[in-house]
Structures are given as C-alpha cells and as structure tokens.
Amino acid sequence: MLSRRYKQMIGRCALLFLVGTALQFMWGNVDASFLIYPWNLCVAVNYLYLHILMYFYAGKYPWVKTLYDRPATLSSLFSLLILTLVFGLVRQDGSTDSILGMLGFTRMSSSWIFVLYLLHFLTALGMKVIDDMVHWRKRNLPVVLMHVACYVVMLSSVLSSGEKVRVRVTAAENASISMGITENRKMYELPFTLTLKEFSMEGDSLRMYYLSKVAITDEEGTQEANILVNHPASIGAWRIYQAGYDQVQGRWISIFECVKDGWYPLIQVAMWVILIGGVWMMFGGWNQRKRKKEDKA
C-alpha cells in the first residue's frame, strides 16, 4: 500500500495535469521564443537563486521540504517518464484535430502539461542537488555527480529551446542544397551548402544501416562526412542528422535534420559525467559486494 505522502504527491501531479490542461485550452502552446541570450541566462540565475533561497528557508517552512523529499522526487520523475513515453508514441506533427492535439501532445515540448511536469521535476532535482552539496561528506560522490549532471542536461535543454533551430533538408544524389524548412514550415537558409555524394543501405531484414556520404561547404572550405542514424556530422554549432530517405524516379533522396544548439557542448559534457558516474557506481557496488563476501569467508 502507498503511504500518505506518496498519495499526496500523486494528487499533486494530478493537479498539475488539470492546471496544464486549463492553460493549454486558454492560451495554446507555450512560447519559448523569449529564451534567447541574455534572457535565458537571466532566467537561469534567478531560477537557481530561487532554489537556494527555498532550500535555506526549508527549516522555517516545512512544506518546502515536500518539494524535494523522496516521495516528491520519485512521483515527479515517474509522471515525467509517463508523459515522455506518450511523447514517443504520439506523432509530433503539431495538429490540433484530435483530443491529444488539443492537449498539446502532438507538440509535446510546447505543451503546458509537459512544461509543468518538467519544472516540477527540475525543482525537486535542483533542490536535491543543493542538499547533496550541503551534505556532500555524507553522500556517495558518483550519485552526487549524476544528480548534478542530470540537472545541467535538463535545465540546459530548457534554456536553449528559444535559440535552438531545426531545419529539415531534402537532398538528391549529386545535388547541392543550402535551403531547408523549419518546424514552423518556413524556408530557412543554412550557413553552409550540403551535397549528397552517395546514399546506401546495408544490413538484413532485421536491421538496416542507412549511410549518406556528403560534402559540407562553408566559408572555411569543404569537408566530407559520413552520416548515419544517431551518428551526425558537425559543422560549427550545427549537427546534421540522418532523418529519413526516399526513392523518386530511380534516384535516392536523403532527408536530413540540421540542428543548431549553442548549449550542446555543455550538455555533451554533462552526459559524459552521467556515463562516468554510472560506471563508477557499477564498479563501486561490485567492489562492495566482493568485500562483503570476503568478510563472510
């Protein structure tokens, strides 16, 4: 049976869902266009200051601790994971024809429900990070590093949303293109020219590999790259992903997604810290179990 605190936290998550639904119907999708430099930096500083202020007032106002205790953290994480699963199952085309579209689930990253759940979890995680740092001598260092890195990844993803650019580019073999279409279905001129040299598929009926050999030309010259799914090419602040393919009139058409994100290096470093922390925890737990067996022997 769930304890009273967990039931309260589940009720809080349900209330956030209702509030998010009401805001979605009243104002539509969240507009994150204001999150550009220097305003996103101002938001970050004030948000972190609010975390610190609330944490050190937790002794005076006990309800503050309910924002980052174990039930609050787990319930907010579980709710966000469920919503993220829905994110992956629902087609993200921005349509509003169905009930899912009206709730913003077809453009999840701009949905009020998703934003409120994300802020709920970020607040719990941020205050947990402060608590870890205040009591760092009593904490497991790999766990502290992973908490900090997760917070950096999620907060950076939010703060960069106003500056992030996604451009869909369709290129035929031996054709050069420097124009694409944004998420808002507007034409966008890229700061480089993309030329598809060759498109090929390898594998079997269970798993296929799609490879685009391209030449990327900008003011500094031309570089060649091989682009596979989850293995993008990089040029400056841009990353070029393999997003799809087609065959028209006997010619291969390769579809790319070009993403510009100035916060990506910070996110990449934090992801490496998460990986290192996970490996550290795994070997640390293995060593502890080994010592316990030796002590028993």
Side-chain angles (χ1 to χ4, degrees):
M1 295 291 292
L2 291 174
S3 66
R4 181 184 177 186
R5 283 286 298 123
Y6 278 101
K7 291 179 180 179
Q8 290 175 341
M9 293 303 98
I10 292 173
R12 180 188 290 177
C13 293
L15 179 61
L16 284 176
F17 185 90
L18 294 176
V19 172
T21 300
L23 292 173
Q24 189 72 31
F25 278 104
M26 286 190 297
W27 291 327
N29 293 330
V30 177
D31 184 6
S33 59
F34 73 97
L35 288 174
I36 57 176
Y37 183 82
W39 303 115
N40 51 4
L41 186 59
C42 292
V43 170
V45 171
N46 283 278
Y47 187 56
L48 294 173
Y49 174 72
L50 182 62
H51 281 357
I52 297 171
L53 190 67
M54 291 176 67
Y55 178 82
F56 286 103
Y57 271 89
K60 187 176 180 180
Y61 302 102
W63 64 268
V64 175
K65 290 186 177 181
T66 67
L67 295 175
Y68 66 96
D69 60 8
R70 186 179 180 85
T73 304
L74 291 179
S75 61
S76 61
L77 175 60
F78 186 66
S79 301
L80 186 62
L81 288 175
I82 291 177
L83 210 56
T84 304
L85 179 61
V86 175
F87 193 172
L89 295 176
V90 177
R91 185 180 179 86
Q92 301 297 300
D93 56 8
S95 64
T96 56
D97 300 333
S98 63
I99 184 63
L100 291 177
M102 289 187 286
L103 288 172
F105 283 15
T106 54
R107 190 174 172 80
M108 184 68 79
S109 59
S110 301
S111 164
W112 275 102
I113 298 172
F114 180 77
V115 169
L116 290 180
Y117 274 33
L118 180 60
L119 289 177
H120 184 208
F121 177 67
L122 263 178
T123 300
L125 182 59
M127 297 185 72
K128 179 62 178 174
V129 166
I130 297 172
D131 190 57
D132 286 340
M133 290 182 173
V134 171
H135 303 97
W136 66 272
R137 291 185 178 180
K138 300 178 182 179
R139 298 290 193 265
N140 189 338
L141 183 57
V143 175
V144 174
L145 288 176
M146 290 186 69
H147 285 167
V148 174
C150 286
Y151 184 77
V152 169
V153 168
M154 299 186 71
L155 184 61
S156 298
S157 298
V158 172
L159 296 174
S160 66
S161 56
E163 297 176 329
K164 188 176 293 184
V165 180
R166 293 181 180 273
V167 182
R168 183 62 65 97
V169 175
T170 302
E173 284 187 338
N174 299 316
S176 299
I177 188 166
S178 61
M179 297 291 293
I181 301 175
T182 66
E183 294 176 296
N184 298 324
R185 298 178 182 177
K186 295 180 179 180
M187 297 300 297
Y188 187 95
E189 185 174 1
L190 296 165
F192 55 84
T193 299
L194 188 65
T195 303
L196 177 63
K197 295 293 187 180
E198 181 183 347
F199 178 83
S200 60
M201 293 187 296
E202 296 180 1
D204 50 39
S205 59
L206 296 177
R207 188 171 184 178
M208 298 293 293
Y209 296 91
Y210 312 110
L211 171 64
S212 292
K213 295 182 179 181
V214 301
I216 309 168
T217 304
D218 63 0
E219 295 179 351
E220 298 182 359
T222 300
Q223 66 180 56
E224 295 188 352
N226 294 331
I227 302 176
L228 297 91
V229 176
N230 296 325
H231 289 81
S234 298
I235 179 167
W238 290 85
R239 300 186 312 284
I240 307 171
Y241 293 89
Q242 181 74 50
Y245 69 94
D246 200 353
Q247 189 175 30
V248 180
Q249 297 179 350
R251 298 182 66 194
W252 283 112
I253 304 294
S254 194
I255 303 172
F256 303 102
E257 185 173 57
C258 304
V259 182
K260 180 183 179 183
D261 185 359
W263 293 64
Y264 179 74
L266 177 61
I267 295 174
Q268 191 175 37
V269 170
M271 292 296 291
W272 275 106
V273 172
I274 293 174
L275 177 62
I276 293 170
V279 173
W280 191 348
M281 288 176 60
M282 181 180 68
F283 281 100
W286 181 79
N287 288 331
Q288 287 182 356
R289 290 191 296 269
K290 184 179 178 180
R291 284 197 296 268
K292 287 180 179 179
K293 289 181 179 179
E294 291 176 350
D295 292 341
K296 290 179 179 180

Coordinates of all heavy atoms in Angstrom, one line a residue, residues 39-114:
W39 N 18.4 36.7 -22.0 CA 17.2 36.5 -21.2 C 17.2 35.0 -20.6 O 16.8 34.8 -19.5 CB 15.9 36.7 -21.9 CG 15.8 38.1 -22.5 CD1 15.8 38.5 -23.8 CD2 15.8 39.3 -21.7 NE1 15.8 39.9 -23.9 CE2 15.8 40.4 -22.6 CE3 15.8 39.6 -20.3 CZ2 15.7 41.7 -22.2 CZ3 15.8 40.9 -19.9 CH2 15.8 42.0 -20.9
N40 N 17.7 34.1 -21.4 CA 17.7 32.7 -20.8 C 18.8 32.6 -19.7 O 18.6 31.9 -18.7 CB 18.0 31.7 -21.9 CG 19.2 32.0 -22.8 OD1 20.0 33.0 -22.5 ND2 19.5 31.2 -23.8
L41 N 19.8 33.4 -19.8 CA 20.8 33.4 -18.7 C 20.2 34.1 -17.5 O 20.5 33.6 -16.3 CB 22.1 34.2 -19.2 CG 23.3 34.2 -18.2 CD1 23.7 32.7 -17.9 CD2 24.4 35.0 -18.8
C42 N 19.4 35.1 -17.6 CA 18.8 35.8 -16.5 C 17.8 34.8 -15.8 O 17.7 34.7 -14.6 CB 18.0 37.0 -17.0 SG 19.1 38.4 -17.5
V43 N 17.1 34.0 -16.7 CA 16.1 33.1 -16.1 C 16.9 32.0 -15.3 O 16.5 31.6 -14.2 CB 15.3 32.4 -17.2 CG1 14.5 31.2 -16.7 CG2 14.4 33.4 -17.9
A44 N 18.0 31.5 -15.8 CA 18.8 30.5 -15.1 C 19.3 31.0 -13.8 O 19.2 30.3 -12.8 CB 20.0 30.1 -16.0
V45 N 19.9 32.2 -13.7 CA 20.4 32.8 -12.5 C 19.3 32.9 -11.5 O 19.5 32.6 -10.3 CB 21.1 34.2 -12.8 CG1 21.4 34.8 -11.4 CG2 22.3 34.0 -13.6
N46 N 18.1 33.5 -11.9 CA 17.0 33.7 -10.9 C 16.4 32.3 -10.5 O 16.0 32.2 -9.3 CB 16.0 34.6 -11.5 CG 16.4 36.0 -11.5 OD1 16.2 36.7 -10.6 ND2 16.9 36.5 -12.7
Y47 N 16.4 31.4 -11.4 CA 15.8 30.1 -11.0 C 16.7 29.4 -10.0 O 16.2 28.8 -9.0 CB 15.7 29.2 -12.3 CG 15.0 27.9 -12.1 CD1 13.7 27.8 -11.6 CD2 15.6 26.7 -12.5 CE1 13.0 26.6 -11.4 CE2 14.9 25.5 -12.4 CZ 13.6 25.5 -11.8 OH 13.0 24.3 -11.7
L48 N 18.0 29.4 -10.2 CA 19.0 28.8 -9.3 C 18.9 29.6 -7.9 O 19.0 28.9 -6.9 CB 20.4 28.9 -9.8 CG 20.6 28.0 -11.1 CD1 22.0 28.3 -11.6 CD2 20.5 26.5 -10.7
Y49 N 18.8 30.9 -8.0 CA 18.7 31.7 -6.7 C 17.5 31.3 -5.9 O 17.5 31.2 -4.7 CB 18.7 33.2 -7.0 CG 18.5 34.0 -5.8 CD1 19.5 34.2 -4.8 CD2 17.3 34.7 -5.6 CE1 19.3 35.0 -3.7 CE2 17.0 35.5 -4.5 CZ 18.0 35.6 -3.5 OH 17.8 36.4 -2.4
L50 N 16.4 31.1 -6.7 CA 15.1 30.7 -6.0 C 15.3 29.3 -5.3 O 14.8 29.1 -4.2 CB 14.0 30.6 -7.0 CG 12.6 30.2 -6.5 CD1 12.1 31.3 -5.5 CD2 11.6 30.1 -7.7
H51 N 16.0 28.4 -6.0 CA 16.3 27.1 -5.4 C 17.0 27.2 -4.0 O 16.6 26.7 -3.0 CB 17.2 26.2 -6.3 CG 16.4 25.6 -7.4 ND1 15.1 25.6 -7.5 CD2 16.8 24.8 -8.5 CE1 14.7 25.0 -8.6 NE2 15.7 24.4 -9.2
I52 N 18.1 28.0 -4.1 CA 18.9 28.2 -2.9 C 18.1 28.9 -1.8 O 18.1 28.5 -0.6 CB 20.1 29.1 -3.2 CG1 21.0 28.3 -4.2 CG2 20.9 29.4 -2.0 CD1 22.2 29.2 -4.8
L53 N 17.3 29.9 -2.1 CA 16.5 30.6 -1.2 C 15.5 29.7 -0.5 O 15.4 29.7 0.7 CB 15.8 31.8 -1.8 CG 15.1 32.8 -0.9 CD1 16.1 33.6 -0.1 CD2 14.3 33.8 -1.8
M54 N 14.8 28.9 -1.3 CA 13.8 28.0 -0.8 C 14.4 26.9 0.1 O 13.9 26.5 1.1 CB 13.0 27.4 -1.9 CG 12.1 28.3 -2.7 SD 11.3 27.6 -4.1 CE 10.2 26.4 -3.3
Y55 N 15.6 26.4 -0.3 CA 16.3 25.4 0.5 C 16.6 25.9 1.9 O 16.4 25.2 2.9 CB 17.5 24.9 -0.3 CG 18.3 23.8 0.5 CD1 17.9 22.5 0.4 CD2 19.3 24.2 1.3 CE1 18.5 21.5 1.2 CE2 20.0 23.2 2.1 CZ 19.6 21.9 2.0 OH 20.2 20.9 2.7
F56 N 17.2 27.1 2.0 CA 17.6 27.6 3.3 C 16.4 28.1 4.1 O 16.6 28.4 5.3 CB 18.7 28.6 3.1 CG 20.0 28.0 2.7 CD1 20.5 28.1 1.4 CD2 20.8 27.3 3.7 CE1 21.7 27.5 1.1 CE2 22.0 26.7 3.3 CZ 22.4 26.8 2.0
Y57 N 15.3 28.2 3.5 CA 14.1 28.5 4.3 C 13.3 27.3 4.6 O 12.2 27.4 5.2 CB 13.2 29.5 3.5 CG 13.6 31.0 3.8 CD1 14.5 31.6 3.0 CD2 13.0 31.7 4.9 CE1 14.8 32.9 3.3 CE2 13.3 33.0 5.1 CZ 14.2 33.6 4.3 OH 14.6 34.9 4.6
A58 N 13.7 26.1 4.3 CA 13.0 24.9 4.5 C 12.8 24.6 6.0 O 11.8 24.0 6.4 CB 13.7 23.7 3.8
G59 N 13.8 25.0 6.8 CA 13.7 24.8 8.2 C 12.6 25.7 8.8 O 11.9 25.3 9.8
K60 N 12.3 26.8 8.3 CA 11.3 27.7 8.8 C 9.9 27.3 8.2 O 8.9 27.5 8.9 CB 11.6 29.2 8.4 CG 10.7 30.2 9.0 CD 11.2 31.6 8.7 CE 10.2 32.7 9.3 NZ 10.7 34.0 9.0
Y61 N 9.9 26.9 7.0 CA 8.6 26.5 6.3 C 8.7 25.0 5.9 O 9.3 24.7 4.8 CB 8.4 27.4 5.1 CG 8.3 28.8 5.4 CD1 9.4 29.7 5.1 CD2 7.2 29.4 6.0 CE1 9.4 31.0 5.4 CE2 7.2 30.8 6.3 CZ 8.3 31.6 6.0 OH 8.2 32.9 6.3
P62 N 8.2 24.1 6.7 CA 8.4 22.7 6.5 C 7.8 22.2 5.1 O 8.3 21.2 4.6 CB 7.6 22.0 7.6 CG 7.7 23.1 8.7 CD 7.6 24.4 8.0
W63 N 6.8 22.9 4.6 CA 6.2 22.5 3.3 C 7.2 22.5 2.2 O 7.1 21.8 1.2 CB 5.0 23.4 2.9 CG 5.4 24.8 2.7 CD1 5.4 25.8 3.6 CD2 5.8 25.4 1.4 NE1 5.7 27.0 3.0 CE2 6.0 26.7 1.7 CE3 6.0 24.8 0.1 CZ2 6.4 27.6 0.6 CZ3 6.4 25.7 -0.9 CH2 6.6 27.1 -0.6
V64 N 8.3 23.3 2.3 CA 9.3 23.4 1.3 C 10.0 22.1 1.1 O 10.4 21.7 0.0 CB 10.4 24.5 1.6 CG1 11.5 24.5 0.6 CG2 9.7 25.9 1.6
K65 N 10.2 21.3 2.2 CA 10.9 20.0 2.1 C 10.1 19.0 1.3 O 10.6 18.1 0.7 CB 11.1 19.5 3.5 CG 12.2 20.2 4.2 CD 12.5 19.5 5.6 CE 13.7 20.2 6.3 NZ 14.0 19.6 7.6
T66 N 8.7 19.3 1.2 CA 7.9 18.4 0.4 C 8.1 18.5 -1.1 O 7.6 17.8 -1.9 CB 6.4 18.6 0.7 OG1 6.0 19.9 0.2 CG2 6.1 18.5 2.2
L67 N 8.9 19.5 -1.5 CA 9.2 19.7 -2.9 C 10.4 18.9 -3.4 O 10.5 18.6 -4.6 CB 9.6 21.2 -3.1 CG 8.5 22.3 -2.9 CD1 9.1 23.7 -3.1 CD2 7.3 22.0 -3.9
Y68 N 11.2 18.4 -2.4 CA 12.4 17.6 -2.9 C 12.6 16.3 -2.0 O 13.7 15.7 -2.2 CB 13.6 18.5 -2.9 CG 14.1 19.0 -1.6 CD1 15.1 18.3 -0.9 CD2 13.6 20.1 -1.0 CE1 15.5 18.8 0.4 CE2 14.0 20.6 0.2 CZ 15.0 19.9 0.9 OH 15.4 20.4 2.1
D69 N 11.7 15.9 -1.2 CA 11.9 14.7 -0.4 C 11.7 13.5 -1.4 O 11.4 13.7 -2.6 CB 11.0 14.6 0.8 CG 9.5 14.7 0.4 OD1 9.2 14.6 -0.8 OD2 8.6 14.7 1.3
R70 N 11.9 12.3 -0.9 CA 11.9 11.1 -1.7 C 10.5 10.9 -2.4 O 10.5 10.7 -3.7 CB 12.2 9.9 -0.9 CG 12.3 8.6 -1.7 CD 12.7 7.4 -0.8 NE 12.8 6.2 -1.5 CZ 13.9 5.8 -2.2 NH1 15.0 6.6 -2.1 NH2 14.0 4.7 -2.8
P71 N 9.4 11.0 -1.8 CA 8.1 10.9 -2.5 C 7.9 11.9 -3.6 O 7.4 11.6 -4.7 CB 7.1 11.1 -1.4 CG 7.8 10.7 -0.1 CD 9.2 11.1 -0.3
A72 N 8.3 13.2 -3.3 CA 8.2 14.2 -4.3 C 9.0 13.9 -5.5 O 8.6 14.1 -6.7 CB 8.5 15.6 -3.7
T73 N 10.3 13.6 -5.3 CA 11.2 13.3 -6.4 C 10.8 12.1 -7.2 O 10.7 12.2 -8.5 CB 12.6 13.0 -5.8 OG1 13.0 14.1 -5.0 CG2 13.6 12.9 -7.0
L74 N 10.4 11.0 -6.6 CA 10.0 9.8 -7.3 C 8.7 10.0 -8.1 O 8.6 9.6 -9.2 CB 9.9 8.6 -6.4 CG 11.2 8.1 -5.8 CD1 10.9 6.9 -4.8 CD2 12.2 7.7 -6.9
S75 N 7.7 10.7 -7.5 CA 6.4 10.9 -8.1 C 6.6 11.8 -9.3 O 6.0 11.6 -10.4 CB 5.4 11.4 -7.1 OG 5.8 12.7 -6.6
S76 N 7.4 12.9 -9.2 CA 7.6 13.8 -10.3 C 8.4 13.1 -11.4 O 8.1 13.3 -12.6 CB 8.3 15.0 -9.8 OG 9.6 14.7 -9.3
L77 N 9.3 12.3 -11.1 CA 10.1 11.6 -12.1 C 9.2 10.6 -12.8 O 9.2 10.5 -14.1 CB 11.3 10.8 -11.4 CG 12.1 9.9 -12.4 CD1 12.7 10.7 -13.5 CD2 13.2 9.2 -11.6
F78 N 8.4 9.8 -12.1 CA 7.5 8.8 -12.7 C 6.5 9.5 -13.6 O 6.3 9.0 -14.7 CB 6.8 8.0 -11.6 CG 6.0 6.9 -12.1 CD1 6.6 5.8 -12.7 CD2 4.6 6.9 -12.0 CE1 5.9 4.7 -13.2 CE2 3.9 5.8 -12.5 CZ 4.5 4.7 -13.1
S79 N 5.9 10.6 -13.2 CA 5.0 11.3 -14.0 C 5.6 11.8 -15.3 O 5.0 11.7 -16.4 CB 4.4 12.5 -13.2 OG 3.7 12.1 -12.1
L80 N 6.8 12.4 -15.2 CA 7.5 12.9 -16.4 C 7.9 11.7 -17.3 O 7.8 11.9 -18.5 CB 8.8 13.6 -15.9 CG 9.6 14.3 -17.0 CD1 8.7 15.4 -17.7 CD2 10.8 14.9 -16.5
L81 N 8.2 10.6 -16.8 CA 8.6 9.4 -17.6 C 7.3 8.9 -18.4 O 7.4 8.6 -19.6 CB 9.1 8.3 -16.8 CG 10.6 8.5 -16.3 CD1 11.0 7.3 -15.3 CD2 11.6 8.6 -17.4
I82 N 6.2 8.9 -17.7 CA 5.0 8.5 -18.4 C 4.6 9.5 -19.6 O 4.3 9.1 -20.7 CB 3.8 8.4 -17.4 CG1 4.0 7.3 -16.4 CG2 2.5 8.3 -18.2 CD1 2.9 7.2 -15.4
L83 N 4.8 10.8 -19.3 CA 4.5 11.8 -20.3 C 5.5 11.7 -21.5 O 5.1 11.8 -22.6 CB 4.5 13.2 -19.7 CG 3.6 14.2 -20.3 CD1 2.2 13.8 -20.3 CD2 3.7 15.5 -19.6
T84 N 6.7 11.4 -21.1 CA 7.7 11.2 -22.2 C 7.4 10.0 -23.1 O 7.7 10.0 -24.3 CB 9.1 11.1 -21.6 OG1 9.4 12.2 -20.7 CG2 10.2 11.0 -22.6
L85 N 6.9 8.9 -22.4 CA 6.5 7.8 -23.2 C 5.4 8.1 -24.2 O 5.4 7.7 -25.3 CB 6.0 6.7 -22.2 CG 5.6 5.4 -22.9 CD1 6.7 4.7 -23.7 CD2 5.1 4.4 -21.8
V86 N 4.4 8.9 -23.7 CA 3.4 9.4 -24.6 C 4.0 10.2 -25.7 O 3.5 10.1 -26.9 CB 2.3 10.2 -23.8 CG1 1.3 10.8 -24.7 CG2 1.7 9.3 -22.7
F87 N 4.9 11.0 -25.4 CA 5.7 11.8 -26.4 C 6.2 11.0 -27.5 O 6.1 11.3 -28.7 CB 6.8 12.5 -25.6 CG 7.5 13.6 -26.4 CD1 8.4 14.4 -25.8 CD2 7.2 13.9 -27.7 CE1 9.1 15.4 -26.5 CE2 7.8 14.9 -28.4 CZ 8.8 15.7 -27.8
G88 N 6.7 9.8 -27.2 CA 7.3 8.9 -28.2 C 6.3 8.2 -29.0 O 6.5 7.8 -30.1
L89 N 5.1 8.0 -28.4 CA 4.0 7.2 -29.1 C 3.1 8.1 -30.0 O 2.5 7.5 -30.9 CB 3.2 6.5 -28.1 CG 3.9 5.4 -27.2 CD1 2.9 4.8 -26.2 CD2 4.4 4.3 -28.1
V90 N 3.0 9.3 -29.7 CA 2.1 10.2 -30.4 C 2.9 10.9 -31.5 O 4.0 11.5 -31.3 CB 1.5 11.3 -29.5 CG1 0.6 12.2 -30.3 CG2 0.6 10.6 -28.4
R91 N 2.4 11.0 -32.7 CA 3.0 11.6 -33.8 C 3.1 13.1 -33.6 O 2.2 13.8 -33.3 CB 2.2 11.4 -35.1 CG 2.9 12.0 -36.4 CD 2.0 11.7 -37.6 NE 2.6 12.3 -38.8 CZ 3.5 11.6 -39.6 NH1 3.9 10.4 -39.2 NH2 4.0 12.2 -40.6
Q92 N 4.4 13.6 -33.6 CA 4.6 15.0 -33.3 C 4.5 15.9 -34.6 O 5.5 16.4 -35.1 CB 6.0 15.2 -32.7 CG 6.2 14.4 -31.4 CD 5.3 14.9 -30.3 OE1 5.3 16.0 -29.9 NE2 4.4 14.0 -29.8
D93 N 3.3 16.1 -35.0 CA 3.1 16.9 -36.2 C 2.4 18.3 -36.0 O 2.1 19.0 -36.9 CB 2.2 16.1 -37.3 CG 0.9 15.7 -36.7 OD1 0.6 16.1 -35.5 OD2 0.2 14.9 -37.3
G94 N 2.1 18.6 -34.7 CA 1.6 19.9 -34.3 C 0.1 20.0 -34.6 O -0.5 21.1 -34.5
S95 N -0.6 19.0 -35.1 CA -2.0 19.1 -35.4 C -2.9 19.2 -34.1 O -2.5 18.9 -33.0 CB -2.4 17.8 -36.1 OG -2.3 16.7 -35.3
T96 N -4.0 19.8 -34.3 CA -5.0 20.0 -33.2 C -6.3 19.4 -33.5 O -7.3 19.8 -32.9 CB -5.1 21.6 -32.9 OG1 -5.6 22.2 -34.1 CG2 -3.8 22.2 -32.5
D97 N -6.4 18.5 -34.4 CA -7.7 17.9 -34.8 C -8.2 16.9 -33.7 O -9.4 16.9 -33.5 CB -7.5 17.1 -36.1 CG -7.0 18.0 -37.2 OD1 -7.3 19.2 -37.2 OD2 -6.4 17.5 -38.1
S98 N -7.4 16.2 -33.0 CA -7.8 15.2 -32.0 C -7.7 15.8 -30.6 O -7.2 16.9 -30.4 CB -7.0 14.0 -32.1 OG -5.6 14.2 -31.8
I99 N -8.2 15.0 -29.6 CA -8.1 15.5 -28.2 C -6.6 15.5 -27.8 O -6.2 16.4 -27.0 CB -8.9 14.5 -27.3 CG1 -8.9 15.0 -25.8 CG2 -8.3 13.1 -27.4 CD1 -9.5 16.4 -25.6
L100 N -5.8 14.6 -28.3 CA -4.4 14.7 -28.0 C -3.7 16.0 -28.5 O -2.9 16.6 -27.9 CB -3.7 13.5 -28.6 CG -4.0 12.1 -27.9 CD1 -3.3 11.0 -28.6 CD2 -3.6 12.1 -26.4
G101 N -4.2 16.4 -29.7 CA -3.7 17.6 -30.3 C -4.1 18.8 -29.5 O -3.3 19.7 -29.3
M102 N -5.3 18.8 -29.1 CA -5.8 20.0 -28.3 C -5.1 20.1 -26.9 O -4.9 21.1 -26.4 CB -7.3 19.8 -28.1 CG -8.1 20.1 -29.3 SD -9.9 20.1 -29.1 CE -10.3 18.4 -28.8
L103 N -4.7 18.9 -26.4 CA -3.9 18.9 -25.1 C -2.5 19.3 -25.3 O -1.7 19.4 -24.4 CB -4.0 17.5 -24.5 CG -5.4 17.2 -23.9 CD1 -5.4 15.7 -23.4 CD2 -5.7 18.1 -22.7
G104 N -2.0 19.4 -26.6 CA -0.7 19.7 -26.9 C 0.3 18.5 -27.0 O 1.5 18.7 -27.1
F105 N -0.3 17.3 -27.0 CA 0.5 16.1 -27.1 C 1.2 15.9 -28.4 O 2.1 15.1 -28.6 CB -0.3 14.9 -26.7 CG -0.5 14.8 -25.2 CD1 -0.3 15.8 -24.4 CD2 -1.0 13.6 -24.6 CE1 -0.5 15.7 -23.0 CE2 -1.2 13.5 -23.3 CZ -0.9 14.6 -22.5
T106 N 0.7 16.6 -29.5 CA 1.3 16.4 -30.8 C 2.4 17.4 -31.0 O 3.1 17.4 -32.0 CB 0.2 16.7 -31.9 OG1 -0.4 18.0 -31.7 CG2 -0.9 15.6 -31.9
R107 N 2.6 18.2 -30.0 CA 3.8 19.1 -30.0 C 4.3 19.2 -28.5 O 4.2 20.2 -27.8 CB 3.5 20.5 -30.5 CG 4.7 21.4 -30.7 CD 4.3 22.7 -31.4 NE 5.4 23.6 -31.5 CZ 6.4 23.6 -32.4 NH1 6.4 22.6 -33.3 NH2 7.4 24.5 -32.3
M108 N 4.7 18.1 -28.0 CA 4.8 17.8 -26.6 C 5.8 18.9 -25.9 O 5.5 19.3 -24.8 CB 5.3 16.4 -26.3 CG 5.4 16.1 -24.8 SD 3.9 16.0 -24.0 CE 3.4 14.3 -24.6
S109 N 6.9 19.2 -26.5 CA 7.8 20.1 -25.9 C 7.2 21.5 -25.7 O 7.8 22.3 -24.9 CB 9.1 20.2 -26.7 OG 8.8 20.7 -28.0
S110 N 6.1 21.8 -26.3 CA 5.5 23.1 -26.1 C 4.2 23.0 -25.4 O 3.4 24.0 -25.3 CB 5.2 23.8 -27.5 OG 6.4 24.0 -28.2
S111 N 3.9 21.8 -24.9 CA 2.6 21.6 -24.1 C 2.8 22.1 -22.7 O 3.8 21.9 -22.0 CB 2.3 20.1 -24.1 OG 1.4 19.8 -23.1
W112 N 1.7 22.8 -22.2 CA 1.7 23.3 -20.9 C 1.8 22.1 -19.9 O 2.5 22.2 -18.8 CB 0.5 24.1 -20.6 CG 0.5 25.5 -21.0 CD1 0.0 26.1 -22.1 CD2 1.2 26.5 -20.3 NE1 0.3 27.4 -22.2 CE2 1.1 27.7 -21.1 CE3 1.9 26.6 -19.1 CZ2 1.6 29.0 -20.7 CZ3 2.5 27.8 -18.7 CH2 2.3 29.0 -19.5
I113 N 1.2 21.0 -20.1 CA 1.3 19.8 -19.2 C 2.7 19.4 -19.1 O 3.2 19.1 -18.0 CB 0.3 18.7 -19.7 CG1 -1.1 19.2 -19.8 CG2 0.5 17.5 -18.9 CD1 -2.1 18.2 -20.4
F114 N 3.4 19.2 -20.2 CA 4.8 18.7 -20.2 C 5.7 19.7 -19.5 O 6.5 19.4 -18.7 CB 5.2 18.5 -21.6 CG 6.7 18.0 -21.7 CD1 7.0 16.7 -21.4 CD2 7.7 18.9 -22.1 CE1 8.3 16.2 -21.5 CE2 9.0 18.4 -22.1 CZ 9.3 17.1 -21.8

